């Protein structure tokens, strides 16, 4: 049975995570896709093509992506290379303290440049990427023409 995992499943956005796929056939070609929906409902996604090792595993931190949104060994490539489905959109998190970005990771058999809703992934998982740690207090700043926010640790 194919399984994709993200460790840790919930983390701050600037912290590294480890993505692993297990249960593949040795040398199997797969597509890993990361996607998220921003607060305005815009979809961002990245994909990378991998060949499983002899144990039937893929680890973007150790195995080179053969193509897709990037090529080479990039442990966080699926998160760093997220691109909008609509041109000229930017990934911006407005509600930094209230909710995380939910990133969906999917593994597809073979090389998939485009996936349709009918394409069934071999495995899926979700990861949370928070922008503010637990207990951090956000204090709005308004002084003259200066506007901003001060984030105080617990």
């Amino acid at each position: 049975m194919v399984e994709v995992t993200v460790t840790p499943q919930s983390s701050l956005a600037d912290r590294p995570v480890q993505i692993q796929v297990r249960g593949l056939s040795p040398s199997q070609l797969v597509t890993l896709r990361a996607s998220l929906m921003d607060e305005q409902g815009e979809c961002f996604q990245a994909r990378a093509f991998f060949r499983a090792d002899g144990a039937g595993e893929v680890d973007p931190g150790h195995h080179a992506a053969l193509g897709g949104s990037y090529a080479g060994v990039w442990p966080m490539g699926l998160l760093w290379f997220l691109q909008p489905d609509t041109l000229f959109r930017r990934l911006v998190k407005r509600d930094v303290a209230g909710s995380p970005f939910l990133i969906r990771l999917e593994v597809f058999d073979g090389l998939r440049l485009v996936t349709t809703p009918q394409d069934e992934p071999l495995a899926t998982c979700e990861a949370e990427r928070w922008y503010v740690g637990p207990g951090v207090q956000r204090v709005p700043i308004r002084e003259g023409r200066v506007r901003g926010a001060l984030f105080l640790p617990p």
Side-chain angles (χ1 to χ4, degrees):
M1 182 169 118
V2 178
E3 176 186 35
V4 59
T5 59
V6 178
T7 309
Q9 186 270 331
S10 183
S11 64
L12 290 173
D14 64 344
R15 301 286 186 221
V17 295
Q18 182 179 24
I19 299 169
Q20 289 187 311
V21 181
R22 293 185 180 96
L24 300 168
S25 300
S27 299
Q28 181 177 353
L29 286 172
V30 294
T31 300
L32 266 66
R33 180 175 75 170
S35 61
L36 69 82
M37 195 75 68
D38 75 0
E39 295 163 329
Q40 280 70 46
E42 185 66 41
C43 184
F44 290 76
Q45 58 182 319
R47 68 187 67 237
F49 312 129
F50 292 92
R51 183 177 301 277
D53 64 13
E57 297 181 356
V58 169
D59 180 348
H62 295 101
H63 302 118
L66 306 173
S69 300
Y70 67 96
V73 178
W74 292 80
M76 298 285 292
L78 287 168
L79 305 181
W80 289 343
F81 291 98
L82 288 166
Q83 294 294 315
D85 285 353
T86 305
L87 293 177
F88 307 114
R89 299 291 178 139
R90 291 186 323 159
L91 184 58
V92 176
K93 183 73 170 135
R94 302 239 184 256
D95 180 17
V96 295
S99 64
F101 272 140
L102 292 177
I103 299 181
R104 181 177 173 87
L105 289 162
E106 299 169 297
V107 181
F108 294 93
D109 186 30
L111 305 180
R112 305 282 177 108
L113 292 173
V114 178
T115 49
T116 64
Q118 293 80 18
D119 291 332
E120 192 68 31
L122 299 173
T124 64
C125 75
E126 280 194 347
E128 295 178 347
R129 301 292 279 172
W130 290 89
Y131 281 77
V132 175
V136 172
Q137 180 184 3
R138 182 182 188 271
V139 180
I141 304 294
R142 294 178 160 259
E143 189 67 38
R145 296 185 334 183
V146 175
R147 301 290 182 265
L150 174 64
F151 292 88
L152 296 172

